[in-house]
Amino acid sequence: MTSRTPADDGPARTFSIGGEFVVPRIGFGAMRLPAGPPAERDGAIAVARRAVALGVGLIDTAHLYGWGANEELLAEALHPYPDGLLVTTKVGVVRTEGPEGWAHDAGPSSLRVQVERGLRRLRTERIGLLQLHRVDPKVPVAEQVGALHELRLEGKIGHIGLSEVTVEQLAEARRTAEIASVQNRYNLMDRGYEPVLEACEAAGIAFLPWRPVAAATPGRAAELAAVAAELGATTPQLLLAWLLARSPVLVPIPGTASLAHLAQNVAAAGFRLSRAQLDRLEALAAPAEA
């Protein structure tokens, strides 16, 4: 009896987040959409609307992205939101006057204020998926997640997600509330959060990799281009297709302000990698020998 591999019948095309939102597995990261000046804003609105027209079911934003301007842009472009569209945002980071320009702030009272403001900017009464942008080292994880759980019980949050967490932090959070998603950095060349992905896969938690497409060294880039050429794909499409094959819980959220790149990203879901191609990509991801 042979075991099933990701390439046998192709990766699943959708994933159910929190048991409520069934979304196609190529999402859209809105971080790169400019909120101004007017000409650029009009283009950004066009990209957001085109993403929905192409079938994207999950759009990711955050308070950090323009300190609310990105959320307001999406509301202008997409409200009233069509059925089946999940717009997810993030809180827990606030603007400061210091050199970094931001700071952790995930105390319970602050999270409540941030969520209320996010609801207003997004023009909604319920945020389907609310993610903690960063775990605040000054506040126990249970208090941060507990505050979001209270907001969920009040109907202001549908589901709770986390971002840039370790296996231990994920486990601690799950002792306080149900966690529907994790958003950590992950791609073929940067797999430091592999243990977190495995924990998400075991628990059926969505893993939204940010920076899903990353540059490779020249030698590896040439091999990536060769595999992409075999598929009739671009290298970014190949890297997105690899993520879809890597684990059924991965929902990449590539971002762009280009209509052409958006269409290419969405089309990446249609490529199927052979076992031999997957093996070649795995070899590229292995650490180089000294």
Side-chain angles (χ1 to χ4, degrees):
M1 180 177 179
T2 59
S3 61
R4 179 184 180 277
T5 69
D8 287 338
D9 52 14
R13 292 182 177 271
T14 62
F15 186 81
S16 177
I17 296 179
E20 178 181 1
F21 297 99
V22 179
V23 299
R25 288 184 57 213
I26 296 286
F28 176 70
M31 182 178 68
R32 295 185 183 180
L33 295 181
E40 292 186 3
R41 185 180 185 88
D42 290 346
I45 288 173
V47 170
R49 290 175 176 168
R50 184 59 179 162
V52 175
L54 289 172
V56 169
L58 183 151
I59 295 180
D60 175 82
T61 183
H63 173 229
L64 175 64
Y65 306 159
W67 301 113
N70 197 262
E71 293 170 318
E72 292 171 346
L73 174 75
L74 290 176
E76 180 180 345
L78 303 174
H79 188 272
Y81 303 110
D83 292 342
L85 177 64
L86 174 61
V87 177
T88 171
T89 191
K90 298 183 283 295
V91 296
V93 173
V94 296
R95 193 173 192 172
T96 66
E97 299 300 326
E100 292 188 348
W102 67 274
H104 298 96
D105 191 356
S109 60
S110 180
L111 286 176
R112 177 171 290 275
V113 170
Q114 292 175 57
V115 169
E116 294 283 2
R117 291 174 177 172
L119 287 166
R120 288 196 294 271
R121 287 191 294 266
L122 288 168
R123 306 182 197 174
T124 186
E125 296 180 354
R126 178 179 184 260
I127 296 170
L129 176 62
L130 191 286
Q131 302 170 87
L132 186 64
H133 208 149
R134 293 291 186 273
V135 171
D136 189 337
K138 307 183 300 298
V139 181
V141 171
E143 289 187 20
Q144 300 174 62
V145 176
L148 299 180
H149 180 61
E150 288 183 8
L151 289 162
R152 184 184 182 195
L153 293 177
E154 294 171 18
K156 296 178 179 179
I157 293 173
H159 301 277
I160 300 168
L162 306 171
S163 182
E164 286 300 282
V165 292
T166 64
V167 170
E168 294 74 21
Q169 289 170 329
L170 174 58
E172 187 174 358
R174 293 182 68 208
R175 288 193 286 270
T176 299
E178 182 179 350
I179 302 300
S181 70
V182 165
Q183 185 172 326
N184 281 18
R185 185 182 65 253
Y186 186 85
N187 55 64
L188 177 65
M189 301 299 172
D190 185 354
R191 297 168 68 175
Y193 283 116
E194 197 81 40
V196 179
L197 172 58
E198 292 171 357
C200 287
E201 191 171 45
I205 295 171
F207 190 112
L208 281 54
W210 64 269
R211 196 176 292 166
V213 175
T217 59
R220 290 174 174 175
E223 178 66 1
L224 285 174
V227 177
E230 291 176 6
L231 291 174
T234 65
T235 295
Q237 286 177 319
L238 171 67
L239 294 173
L240 291 171
W242 176 83
L243 285 167
L244 298 182
R246 169 63 187 86
S247 169
V249 304
L250 282 167
V251 182
I253 47 172
T256 181
S258 161
L259 288 169
H261 289 162
L262 170 66
Q264 290 174 2
N265 290 340
V266 173
F271 292 100
R272 297 291 180 267
L273 294 162
S274 69
R275 181 72 265 172
Q277 290 167 333
L278 287 169
D279 289 343
R280 288 163 67 186
L281 296 180
E282 287 291 336
L284 288 178
E289 296 183 2

